[in-house]
Amino acid sequence: MLHSLSKNIFFHQRNSFRNLICFQTLVPFSTTVTQDQPPHNSIIVDLFINSFGFTKDEAISVSKRLRFTVPPKNINRVPDLLKQNGFSDTHIKNLIWKLPKFLSSKNETLKPKLDFLQELGFSGSALVDFIIKNPKIVERGINSCLVPKVNFLRSFLHSNENIVKALKRSNWIVYNFSKTVDYNIEILHECGVLDKQISQFLLKSPRFFTQNQDRLKDHVSRAEKFGFKKGSASFIHAVYTLNAMTKDTLEAKFDMYKSYGWSESDIASAFRKCPSFLNISMQKVKAIMEFFVGELGYDPKDFASKPGLFTYSLEKRLKPRYEVLKILKSRGLELKCDFLSVANLSEKDFLKRCVLRYVEKSPDLQEAYMGFCFRS
């Protein structure tokens, strides 16, 4: 069902990305309704209290936000459907509180949406969590919104598993943002960013693509000023990093590195070598500086050429490795390379060069290293 339905919609709309961005649509309501809602309906209030466990004040509040009157005999119809799909009484109460009008949805239109999401990969608690976080999905049409959005994601993410991951990270499927995503992808294409990288960032941070296009263009311009070249593999990483912080935060980070004796040229060079370097929190940077400078006696400028060090975990990587070197030194097995080089080794290379090669002379070294890692 999902494959054939998606295929038909996709090929019908393939020549217009604009059609892949859903406009706001409302699910038809299930009954003949009265639009002039009184302050509150006492029958509905009683039903909310008795059927869903609301207090009287909560029930009155919800009834006032229920723009359409639902006949009492139909009040449990949608909740019963949801219960069949794993929703608890508490989940349903939360949904009613967030979006009272979902009670007026037609089961004939709601059930296909639930089926669609389940076939996509949302099942059990995952389905419940997704709808609880995105209750307005009951208002969106399956053919006018859900299928086109999923088809767009599939063109980059390829698998249902990846699509589900992206949707869990962002509720963009239930909101209308017109051509924003299309424009932003076009901007990135013009910068030489490959579809493979766009796919990675769609999966990592879908919201990155929903920002205002003028804002994205500003980040692109700033990345170029930092010396990043369009078409390079690092360009989108630089743009993403600049997008992740305000200019005030960036200025504060520059001031922090300057306080350690770095020049603006040092900072920019470190950024080019490791674009995620400027995304690291100031608290973490200060803790790592305290370790290397305060405890080990390094010069702060020693790290300008090795910014990747700041991306590592102090407790899970840097300190355990230093403890291994201390053990080796105490046993006369000191390495010829310095700790900064050891810290940059991959885990596989570190174990091979600094732990396993000494297993005969220090049989407890590997166990000690693992102990340092888990202790931290």
Side-chain angles (χ1 to χ4, degrees), residues 229-355:
K229 303 296 183 182
K230 289 183 176 180
S232 67
S234 62
F235 192 82
I236 189 173
H237 294 276
V239 173
Y240 177 80
T241 293
L242 294 171
N243 173 70
M245 67 183 118
T246 65
K247 291 183 179 180
D248 286 344
T249 299
L250 181 61
E251 184 177 349
K253 289 185 176 182
F254 262 68
D255 288 342
M256 176 189 64
Y257 284 109
K258 287 179 181 178
S259 73
Y260 290 112
W262 291 28
S263 67
E264 289 194 358
S265 177
D266 290 333
I267 301 169
S269 175
F271 183 31
R272 288 192 295 272
K273 289 179 179 179
C274 181
S276 62
F277 148 77
L278 284 178
N279 254 346
I280 301 163
S281 72
M282 294 172 66
Q283 181 181 6
K284 180 179 179 182
V285 170
K286 290 176 180 178
I288 291 177
M289 282 291 197
E290 174 59 29
F291 174 65
F292 278 108
V293 178
E295 295 184 33
L296 307 188
Y298 282 93
D299 186 316
K301 295 195 68 174
D302 291 341
F303 314 112
S305 61
K306 295 181 173 62
L309 286 170
F310 293 103
T311 67
Y312 302 142
S313 168
L314 179 59
E315 303 298 332
K316 301 291 185 182
R317 179 175 179 132
L318 298 178
K319 286 186 176 180
R321 291 191 179 191
Y322 181 67
E323 292 298 328
V324 167
L325 296 195
K326 283 172 61 178
I327 292 174
L328 290 176
K329 184 177 181 179
S330 70
R331 297 174 181 178
L333 302 171
E334 191 170 358
L335 294 174
K336 294 181 180 180
C337 54
D338 70 354
F339 179 53
L340 295 186
S341 298
V342 171
N344 271 318
L345 292 173
S346 68
E347 184 68 8
K348 180 180 178 180
D349 286 342
F350 173 74
L351 287 172
K352 180 179 178 180
R353 293 177 58 179
C354 304
V355 178

Side-chain angles (χ1 to χ4, degrees), residues 156 184-201 208-209 216 220 229-237 239:
F156 286 97
N184 286 339
I185 289 178
E186 183 178 348
I187 290 170
L188 293 173
H189 278 157
E190 290 173 353
C191 294
V193 178
L194 303 176
D195 281 349
K196 180 180 179 180
Q197 289 182 303
I198 290 175
S199 298
Q200 292 171 346
F201 277 84
F208 174 69
F209 295 87
L216 179 60
V220 166
K229 303 296 183 182
K230 289 183 176 180
S232 67
S234 62
F235 192 82
I236 189 173
H237 294 276
V239 173

